[in-house]
Amino acid sequence: MTNIPPPAEELRLLDAELRQLDARRAVLLRRREWLVHVLRTASAQRSVPGAGQMPPVWPVAPGAAAPRTEATAPGVQNVLLLLGGILLTVAAIAFTLVGWGHLGITGRALVLAAVTLAALSAPVWLLRRGLGSTAEAVAALGMALTVLDAYALHEVAFGGSDGLGYAAAASAVLSAAWAAYGAAADLLVPRSDAGSPARPDRAPAGAGTAARPALRLPLPCAVVTAQVPLLLWALAVDAGPHTLTAVLLVTAAADTVVALRPAHAPVRIVGLVGACVAGALGVLSAGWLCWSAAAPVAAARGAALLLLAAAIALAAARYAPKPEVALCASLAAGLCLVAGAGGVLRAWLPGEWTVPGCLALGIALLTAVRTPLPRPMRQGVVGASLVVQGLAVLWTLPLVAGTLLGPVALIERPWSGTPLDIRDAVFQDAAWASYATAAPLVLAAVAGVLALAERRAVRRPASGVGALVLAWAAVVVTPVVLELPYGAGLVADGAVVVVALGVAERARRGTGGPSAPALTALVLALVTSVTLALVSLATEAGTIAVLLALAALFGVASTRAGLVAFTAPAALAHATALACAAGASAGLRPEHTALLVLVVPAVAALVAARAARAGRSAATVPVEAAGAAAALLALTLAVTDLPVLASVLALCGVIAAGTALRPERRRAGHAAAALFLLAAWVRLAAWEVTTPEAYTLPVSVAALAVGHLRRRRDPSVSSWTAHGAGLSVTLVPSLLATWGDPHWLRPLLLGTAALAVTLVGARSRLQAPLVLGGGTLALVALHELAPYIAQVVGVLPRWAPPALAGLVLLALGATYEQRLRDARRLREALGRLH
């Protein structure tokens, strides 16, 4: 049964619960006010840039706004600690340098020892109380004091010793002491007592990663200080360059060990940076020692240092935690090996064979592909081989560029005489490089490597293209290097053109269409043909024979559907050059040679028409462009003789008119008409005709005939479109000439013609003839009346013209409305005309 308390007891219990509810309600209301304030503050901070501070966990007072903070607590703490450490360090330096003499030797030693021991022992006590940042600042102060202790010890006890030797010993001792101090801090401070204990969720990923040390500064500072002891010692003992280089490499090896061991991230980073800097300096110094040595023994000493650097790099690649690091290290190792062996070869072999020797060593590195090395290391060694091969190819570029561009100088002095050999023809104005003897061998070796790589690696056409280009370069420079006779050199270059065209056709057949190897071979054939044509300029017979052979060769190659877009324009270009050479050989003047050049545009028009009928649309535009270029050259040659220029223009017009017969080239008719017109004008200028109607009437007649035919086909065409241009071409120039002509015949003829045009326009109800003819007639009449008007104006008194103008204005004003109506009717009447 339920135990019901007495009424008095029950009333007391109810009052107690109500009081608890009131207290809870007050708490909830206060919390609600704070949440509303937080939401309003967050909205305001989002509208203000840079505002993003978290509100306090609980408001200080109900309804009070939280103060806005401008700096975080950790930031303020770090700034204060940094400033404090700097000030204490400055004070210690001032005490050591300035106030040192006020104390005795015992006092000075006791003061520095006490302060140093206090500064080094305080971080342990601070770490156990969770003050990690303060401990770091005090530890930095203690390490700075140890440097001052070393300086003080030198001043007191070792003042007579060598400065560099003491600095080397002191830096080694300080490095060891700081490393021991960091390790001791890890032992003395439990991980739970550290100011910033390592958390499992924040530990760096990856196996072998060390936990965060209790003090972060000592170990990185120890690694930084460890960079200088050996170098200072070598400088102290006046070591030679080989010893200094070895010291740098040993330091790099020690840094590599530090960078590869499972240490804290800052320690590894410092070790990696030290290894890269010291290693780079050591490798550069060793390379200079090896490649600048005059004797083989000295070169071997430098090569031994490069071998040591390669061993360090290989060890780093073997134990590197990341594939990228292993690849870079193995690449550096391969380059060091080749550089060392190449330096020794340079001391043993003649200078021009140094690069081929290095290339052989670089190609030998490719055997690493067959070794059981890890994949990143193999890739790095192969990359080193590619770098060596690329540098070797760059070494040959001056010779290749000189072979291709050297004959350009023959354009200024064509047919100067048969050279001694092909080298004399190519490098007549350039110095011959003594090292060029081995260039063909280098190019051929790299081409062979690329060809082998293309055969073994599927879907890598870049290797095949590179092999083709390098093989072509080797063949092109070989006649120059071997100093073949001039005729034999021309034959060799011609054979290169033939072979390149054959390779292009074979590659096109193999792929069933245009491909990268086919286009590359075709471009190489074109480049070689241009070089061959330039080299042949040395002799007259050679020029004509070579150009004739090239034009025939590319003409035959144009019968292949896949090559015609390139070979047909090339054949036309060589034919154009052949026409110019033939004209010069026959003693023709340039304007007469232009008539020979016109054969090329005619042939181009025929070839383009045939290609269009055969469905080879890709060759039509290139062939027509080549023909247009030849026609432009012909016009340029004939520009000095007006009669010949007129003939050339007329012949070009005939070619353009023939082209316009094709349905897809109807627009060429406009060019033909323009060329015929220019030919007529040039002929008139040659006859010294100055009458403008002789130039304009043929154009007007042709334009009016075309306009008449167009209006017959389409009556809706406006008269301005059909006849405006044709009438304007003659009426406007004749009218301008009339105003400067004092005779009566031209105004009479022009006025008669204008009257006839006006009557025709009125009868046919055409707007353009009516307006143009009437306007011309009015201006001619005004021209005829102008002298009489001038006489009347001279006779009248000066007040008469203003009075007359006033009367005219009054009359116009009085009949303004009538004039507007008449003008409107006139406009409507003209508008009804065509």
Side-chain angles (χ1 to χ4, degrees):
M1 296 186 59
T2 303
N3 185 16
I4 300 176
E9 182 65 18
E10 185 177 0
L11 180 61
R12 186 182 64 79
L13 294 175
L14 290 175
D15 291 337
E17 288 186 12
L18 288 174
R19 285 193 298 271
Q20 292 179 0
L21 290 174
D22 290 338
R24 180 61 178 168
R25 185 174 184 274
V27 171
L28 293 177
L29 289 174
R30 186 177 177 187
R31 182 68 178 178
R32 181 181 181 279
E33 292 178 0
W34 180 78
L35 291 174
V36 171
H37 167 71
V38 167
L39 292 176
R40 292 175 179 174
T41 305
S43 300
Q45 289 178 349
R46 281 194 296 269
S47 62
V48 178
Q53 301 296 332
M54 291 299 295
V57 178
W58 193 263
V60 179
R68 178 183 174 184
T69 58
E70 297 182 354
T72 60
V76 173
Q77 166 190 298
N78 293 334
V79 170
L80 294 176
L81 292 175
L82 179 62
L83 290 176
I86 291 174
L87 292 176
L88 288 176
T89 304
V90 171
I93 294 173
F95 170 76
T96 304
L97 298 178
V98 179
W100 188 257
H102 299 290
L103 298 175
I105 185 171
T106 304
R108 286 176 286 178
L110 291 176
V111 168
L112 272 180
V115 174
T116 304
L117 289 175
L120 293 176
S121 59
V124 177
W125 180 82
L126 293 172
L127 287 173
R128 290 179 176 177
R129 283 155 181 78
L131 302 177
S133 299
T134 307
E136 295 286 353
V138 176
L141 175 63
M143 290 188 292
L145 289 175
T146 57
V147 177
L148 296 177
D149 288 339
Y151 170 74
L153 185 61
H154 176 269
E155 293 295 324
V156 172
F158 301 99
S161 61
D162 180 43
L164 287 177
Y166 180 80
S171 59
V173 172
L174 287 176
S175 177
W178 290 350
Y181 178 62
D186 288 339
L187 295 176
L188 295 176
V189 180
R191 299 305 303 152
S192 59
D193 294 341
S196 299
R199 292 175 52 181
D201 58 340
R202 294 185 181 179
T209 301
R212 175 178 169 180
L215 291 175
R216 291 175 290 180
L217 287 178
L219 292 180
C221 292
V223 175
V224 172
T225 308
Q227 306 297 313
V228 296
L230 287 178
L231 184 60
L232 292 176
W233 168 81
L235 294 175
V237 298
D238 295 331
H242 291 83
T243 305
L244 288 173
T245 304
V247 164
L248 288 173
L249 294 177
V250 170
T251 304
D255 290 332
T256 302
V257 173
V258 173
L260 295 178
R261 66 184 298 271
H264 190 46
V267 179
R268 295 199 309 273
I269 293 174
V270 172
L272 180 61
V273 172
C276 292
V277 174
L281 293 176
V283 168
L284 292 176
S285 177
W288 179 78
L289 292 173
C290 181
W291 283 78
S292 63
V297 177
R301 293 177 61 190
L305 295 174
L306 288 172
L307 183 63
L308 174 60
I312 296 171
L314 286 176
R318 178 64 181 84
Y319 297 101
K322 295 183 179 180
E324 296 83 2
V325 178
L327 190 148
C328 295
S330 55
L331 188 147
L335 293 178
C336 289
L337 288 174
V338 174
V344 176
L345 290 177
R346 188 198 65 82
W348 282 94
L349 299 176
E352 62 269 20
W353 294 102
T354 301
V355 173
C358 293
L359 177 62
L361 295 172
I363 295 175
L365 292 178
L366 294 176
T367 57
V369 178
R370 301 292 185 180
T371 61
L373 293 174
R375 180 182 177 85
M377 294 185 65
R378 295 200 306 269
Q379 291 178 345
V381 175
V382 172
S385 175
L386 295 179
V387 171
V388 173
Q389 295 179 52
L391 293 176
V393 171
L394 289 178
W395 175 74
T396 64
L397 282 185
L399 175 62
V400 177
T403 303
L404 297 178
L405 302 178
V408 176
L410 293 173
I411 297 177
E412 299 179 355
R413 47 179 185 277
W415 302 347
S416 57
T418 305
L420 298 177
D421 49 42
I422 191 66
R423 180 189 297 182
D424 182 60
V426 174
F427 286 89
Q428 190 171 3
D429 294 337
W432 174 256
S434 59
Y435 64 84
T437 306
L441 181 61
V442 171
L443 292 170
V446 180
V449 172
L450 291 178
L452 183 61
E454 192 270 339
R455 178 176 297 181
R456 293 178 178 272
V458 185
R459 297 180 182 178
R460 289 187 181 179
S463 300
V465 171
L468 182 61
V469 172
L470 293 178
W472 165 80
V475 174
V476 166
V477 301
T478 298
V480 180
V481 172
L482 297 179
E483 299 184 65
L484 294 180
Y486 177 69
L490 295 180
V491 172
D493 288 342
V496 172
V497 178
V498 175
V499 172
L501 289 176
V503 171
E505 176 62 17
R506 181 178 179 182
R508 186 192 65 83
R509 287 182 178 180
T511 58
S515 60
L519 294 178
T520 303
L522 195 55
V523 171
L524 296 178
L526 295 175
V527 172
T528 309
S529 67
V530 173
T531 304
L532 176 59
L534 292 174
V535 174
S536 67
L537 290 176
T539 61
E540 179 180 351
T543 301
I544 295 177
V546 167
L547 292 176
L548 180 61
L550 289 176
L553 177 61
F554 282 101
V556 172
S558 300
T559 58
R560 304 297 180 182
L563 305 180
V564 64
F566 296 92
T567 55
L572 294 174
H574 290 301
T576 303
L578 176 62
C580 295
S585 177
L588 299 178
R589 297 175 60 184
E591 56 269 19
H592 297 152
T593 304
L595 298 175
L596 290 177
V597 176
L598 280 181
V599 177
V600 177
V603 174
L606 295 177
V607 173
R610 181 179 179 182
R613 288 195 301 270
R616 300 175 182 178
S617 57
T620 304
V621 175
V623 169
E624 291 175 345
L632 183 61
L633 176 61
L635 292 174
T636 304
L637 293 174
V639 74
T640 57
D641 193 327
L642 291 182
V644 178
L645 179 61
S647 301
V648 172
L649 285 169
L651 292 175
C652 290
V654 172
I655 296 172
T659 304
L661 295 177
R662 291 158 47 194
E664 71 277 6
R665 290 291 185 267
R666 294 300 187 194
R667 293 186 176 182
H670 301 290
L675 289 171
F676 284 133
L677 176 61
L678 289 175
W681 285 357
V682 171
R683 175 60 64 179
L684 291 173
W687 289 339
E688 298 182 356
V689 176
T690 59
T691 303
E693 288 78 10
Y695 296 88
T696 58
L697 275 177
V699 181
S700 294
V701 172
L704 291 174
V706 173
H708 178 68
L709 293 176
R710 184 174 181 183
R711 276 188 58 82
R712 288 186 61 182
R713 294 180 181 178
D714 186 6
S716 62
V717 175
S718 172
S719 62
W720 290 102
T721 303
H723 307 299
L727 293 173
S728 300
V729 167
T730 296
L731 292 178
V732 173
S734 298
L735 183 61
L736 294 176
T738 298
W739 280 87
D741 191 354
H743 302 286
W744 57 272
L745 182 58
R746 185 189 299 274
L748 177 61
L749 295 177
L750 179 60
T752 303
L755 179 60
V757 170
T758 304
L759 294 176
V760 171
R763 182 178 181 278
S764 303
R765 302 183 64 185
L766 296 177
Q767 190 179 96
L770 184 61
V771 173
L772 292 175
T776 304
L777 184 60
L779 291 175
V780 171
L782 181 62
H783 171 266
E784 294 302 314
L785 292 177
Y788 302 102
I789 295 174
Q791 291 178 4
V792 172
V793 172
V795 173
L796 292 176
R798 294 187 177 181
W799 55 266
L804 181 61
L807 290 175
V808 171
L809 291 176
L810 287 176
L812 289 176
T815 60
Y816 183 71
E817 184 177 0
Q818 182 65 29
R819 295 292 181 267
L820 288 179
R821 186 162 51 251
D822 294 343
R824 190 179 301 112
R825 290 176 181 175
L826 178 60
R827 185 183 62 185
E828 292 175 354
L830 290 175
R832 288 192 294 270
L833 299 178
H834 291 283

